[in-house]
Amino acid sequence: MDIINEIKFTMPSLSVNEGTARAVVSSFVIQADPTVEELSDIRTAVSEAVTNSIVHGYRNTSGKIDLTVRLLAGREVYIRIKDSGCGIEDVKKAMEPLFTTAPEEERSGLGFSVMESFMDRLTVKSQPGKGTTVTMRKRLKVHGG
């Protein structure tokens, strides 16, 4: 992995910080000159991942969310969102569209599907009682003249 630039950011698992995470990632990724659509895709995927950590990972408790963003050679954006929350029992099941562990909060269960649709690669690793790490990658188009 040839890293051109990187930031790391840690925030408490407060719902207001979902917007902060989006803003931090956007501000950092803008240096790679993404299209408006690419930036929107990245922002949406980050929102979903951070919201999952807050709502599902920490449920009725709180903790920290670690965010790592890297610009890689070949115009690739790498984003890792890690929590130390309750973890996911069955990652494969959790990644199925419409599956949710918070139906009482009227969650749609589309978070992972949304992340997959907006990013080129999505990896989810989790251990019950230890937390979840979501890693996403997106290759930016070469544009301009």
Side-chain angles (χ1 to χ4, degrees):
M1 186 178 327
D2 189 7
I3 301 169
I4 295 169
N5 200 358
E6 173 184 77
I7 62 165
K8 293 185 179 192
F9 182 77
T10 300
M11 62 193 159
S13 62
L14 303 172
S15 60
V16 295
N17 284 338
E18 178 263 330
T20 304
R22 238 185 9 247
V24 167
V25 172
S26 296
S27 296
F28 183 75
V29 170
I30 203 81
Q31 67 188 285
D33 194 26
T35 65
V36 171
E37 182 180 356
E38 289 168 334
L39 192 57
S40 177
D41 290 353
I42 291 167
R43 288 170 52 93
T44 301
V46 166
S47 287
E48 292 294 334
V50 170
T51 297
N52 275 359
S53 287
I54 294 167
V55 172
H56 302 289
Y58 289 112
R59 290 201 182 121
N60 299 314
T61 184
S62 61
K64 299 246 181 268
I65 299 171
D66 296 317
L67 181 64
T68 301
V69 187
R70 295 176 179 150
L71 298 179
L72 307 177
R75 296 185 49 76
E76 190 172 12
V77 177
Y78 166 101
I79 300 166
R80 185 180 70 217
I81 296 163
K82 183 177 189 296
D83 67 58
S84 301
C86 66
I88 301 170
E89 282 289 332
D90 184 344
V91 171
K92 189 174 178 181
K93 178 86 174 155
M95 292 182 76
E96 289 177 9
L98 306 179
F99 177 84
T100 183
T101 59
E104 68 283 354
E105 294 185 30
E106 298 183 16
R107 297 288 168 184
S108 66
L110 293 173
F112 287 127
S113 297
V114 168
M115 288 178 238
E116 278 184 310
S117 70
F118 287 124
M119 303 300 279
D120 296 327
R121 283 177 35 200
L122 171 69
T123 306
V124 180
K125 293 186 177 171
S126 189
Q127 273 191 289
K130 303 256 180 172
T132 302
T133 301
V134 173
T135 305
M136 302 179 283
R137 290 183 176 221
K138 184 170 190 74
R139 187 168 306 276
L140 304 176
K141 295 178 186 94
V142 177
H143 63 89

